Amino acid sequence: MVLSSCALVILLPLLVLTAMAVRAQDGGPALFRQQRIGRGGQVFDCLKFRSMTIDAEASLPDLVDAEWNAARKFRRDARVTHFGRVLRLSSLDELPQLLNVLRGEMSLVGPRPIVMDEATLYGRRLADYCAVRPGLTGLWQVSGRNDVPYPRRVAMDVWLVRNRTVRVYLTILARTIPAVLSRKGVY
């Protein structure tokens, strides 16, 4: 919470400018809120800068295909706005999650916060996931992001939960900046 507070203070001008730019593109809200599963199975609103069109959630059922079912993501998602692509490539869209960390819903490091539909993909491993707070960054995020197949993501999240140490935590934090700068697996 201390690191999150410090980061929010330091990044405040960037956060305000980003929010203004998101709103300016189409007049919609700057933040996107999506219910995710947190520690103990508690549901919380995960915050992001909105990188998609205003009606993106409503149009998803019409787009679901084999790629979505395998990766829970599209390589080329037509719903992503021009500025949204910039946000995603730079990972700036994730910065509002510092507020989730400050509120105690997330941690800086932990498993990727998942939506309800993904819980079935974790199967018996969901209990491991729910044992900790999801993280702003984590093992799969610094290991190739969306290029990592979904079953491997689950395995990485479980490994992280079962091997939590200060050293692992700090290693992942240190690997986050190079991972963001490399843009590997971002789409």
Side-chain angles (χ1 to χ4, degrees):
M1 288 181 169
V2 171
L3 290 175
S4 177
S5 297
C6 292
L8 283 166
V9 169
I10 292 167
L11 296 171
L12 185 61
L14 177 62
L15 293 168
V16 170
L17 288 173
T18 303
M20 290 171 51
V22 171
R23 284 194 52 82
Q25 72 184 348
D26 58 14
L31 293 179
F32 173 70
R33 299 169 190 270
Q34 187 177 47
Q35 290 197 326
R36 303 285 179 111
I37 301 171
R39 187 167 88 181
Q42 295 294 316
V43 176
F44 70 98
D45 284 339
C46 187
L47 303 173
K48 288 186 168 194
F49 281 122
R50 186 174 54 83
S51 62
M52 294 190 177
T53 58
I54 297 168
D55 65 342
E57 287 286 294
S59 63
L60 179 60
D62 297 332
L63 302 173
V64 170
D65 62 7
E67 179 184 15
W68 176 264
N69 289 330
R72 309 299 292 174
K73 197 107 168 163
F74 297 112
R75 281 193 179 273
R76 289 175 185 79
D77 194 334
R79 302 171 303 156
V80 177
T81 64
H82 177 70
F83 187 61
R85 288 188 212 310
V86 172
L87 290 175
R88 287 180 172 202
L89 283 173
S90 63
S91 295
L92 289 174
D93 61 323
E94 307 285 346
L95 289 180
Q97 291 173 20
L98 288 167
L99 292 169
N100 290 115
V101 174
L102 190 62
R103 295 189 320 211
E105 299 160 333
M106 290 178 65
S107 177
L108 289 179
V109 176
R112 179 177 86 64
I114 61 172
V115 296
M116 301 297 206
D117 290 348
E118 291 174 278
T120 58
L121 299 173
Y122 275 71
R124 61 183 170 76
R125 294 175 168 174
L126 185 62
D128 288 299
Y129 170 86
C130 290
V132 299
R133 288 182 183 91
L136 183 61
T137 188
L139 187 57
W140 82 265
Q141 291 95 321
V142 300
S143 302
R145 297 196 210 179
N146 296 311
D147 288 342
V148 177
Y150 205 93
R152 182 80 181 125
R153 292 183 204 177
V154 172
M156 287 179 170
D157 282 347
V158 171
W159 184 91
L160 179 58
V161 169
R162 293 179 180 176
N163 295 280
R164 286 179 298 147
T165 64
V166 172
R167 182 178 178 201
V168 168
Y169 193 98
L170 293 174
T171 299
I172 290 172
L173 279 177
R175 288 179 56 195
T176 297
I177 293 172
V180 167
L181 294 176
S182 78
R183 299 180 178 166
K184 182 180 179 205
V186 176
Y187 48 87

